[in-house]
Amino acid sequence: MSQSIFTGRSRMAAVLAIGLTAAAMSAPSGAKAAEPGADEVWQGLVTDVFEGKPMQDGTGIVSLEAPARAADPALVPVTLSVDPTRHIRKLTLVIDHNPAPVAASFTLGDGAGVTRIETRVRVNAYTDIHLVGEADDGTLYVTSRYVKAAGGCAAPASKDPVAAARSIGQMKLRRFGAAEGSGGTRDEAQLMIRHPNNSGLQKDQVTLLYIPAHFITELTVSRGERTLFTMEGGISISEDPSFRFDYRADTPEPFHVKAIDTENMTFAHDFPADAS
């Protein structure tokens, strides 16, 4: 495995350092009822994140799968899907009541055939989760799911920090063959990255001090000369990020993955076309 690492601090890390400590003080420690004024919260996010642009009903165009009640609030599985005939170029996942609501934005590569992305997120309170798809013409389509979970952003890391630091940036990519329902036109693969993805709301279990935010902010997954998708990520993507996705399976080409985190550490790896 080839891996290059460059240290430093990013602009996003500096911004988070200002706001996350205060948010941590009020983070919920257990389940609670849905937040009042949920519609008001979402409308505020539409204004702040999407510049108040009108949203169309995304039924049949974009879809979001998530459990009604999460077994682990720090590892909530979500699946983002698009109708391939509608030319959706960008997917933005918003967890309304998380301290940093925008969990991730995925830009789908032109002609890459990506119609489905699965990942895992942290959910900090009972909340609506919205998926917004942006079409080539700029039209926004939205759908949502309500998820009962609490405390995911503050949940302790599952691994010892020293062990996590030793394996940071290691990657695996597995191919699964033809994607279900694709008629053999699309294959499916899963990318797994070792990274603590610290949210800034977690406490060191020994010192009880808050662990600084440290997470992947940029991810690019390519195949040959074609970009499959890119991601801009936030604190809500779970520890050891995982992405299962489909893609156009027209020719056998190698994969290339590049990730950058809030410390400007860069991780890159090439995988053969038949990675398994």
Side-chain angles (χ1 to χ4, degrees), residues 260-272:
I260 303 174
D261 69 15
T262 48
E263 296 296 328
N264 281 339
M265 301 173 73
T266 298
F267 314 99
H269 194 81
D270 293 316
F271 297 93

Side-chain angles (χ1 to χ4, degrees), residues 195-238:
H195 199 288
N197 252 39
N198 294 323
S199 68
L201 302 175
Q202 301 154 296
K203 286 186 177 181
D204 184 292
Q205 297 302 292
V206 176
T207 66
L208 299 184
L209 298 175
Y210 285 101
I211 301 169
H214 183 197
F215 55 91
I216 291 174
T217 58
E218 300 176 37
L219 174 68
T220 301
V221 181
S222 304
R223 185 168 172 263
E225 298 299 319
R226 174 182 291 164
T227 297
L228 298 182
F229 68 88
T230 62
M231 182 200 73
E232 295 180 19
I235 69 170
S236 298
I237 297 296
S238 299

Side-chain angles (χ1 to χ4, degrees), residues 49-133:
V49 179
F50 301 99
E51 300 178 343
K53 295 177 181 178
M55 299 272 179
Q56 306 296 320
D57 181 5
T59 302
I61 300 172
V62 295
S63 65
L64 172 64
E65 298 174 36
R69 183 181 293 275
D72 185 341
L75 294 167
V76 181
V78 293
T79 301
L80 292 56
S81 303
V82 303
D83 177 351
T85 68
R86 300 305 289 261
H87 304 290
I88 301 299
R89 65 184 181 190
K90 187 175 183 180
L91 293 170
T92 302
L93 184 66
V94 181
I95 305 175
D96 295 16
H97 286 283
N98 271 14
V102 179
S105 291
F106 297 91
T107 299
L108 309 182
D110 185 30
V114 176
T115 68
R116 180 182 176 96
I117 298 175
E118 300 176 29
T119 189
R120 304 173 302 193
V121 297
R122 299 177 170 117
V123 176
N124 214 48
Y126 283 27
T127 185
D128 283 318
I129 299 180
H130 285 86
L131 176 64
V132 177

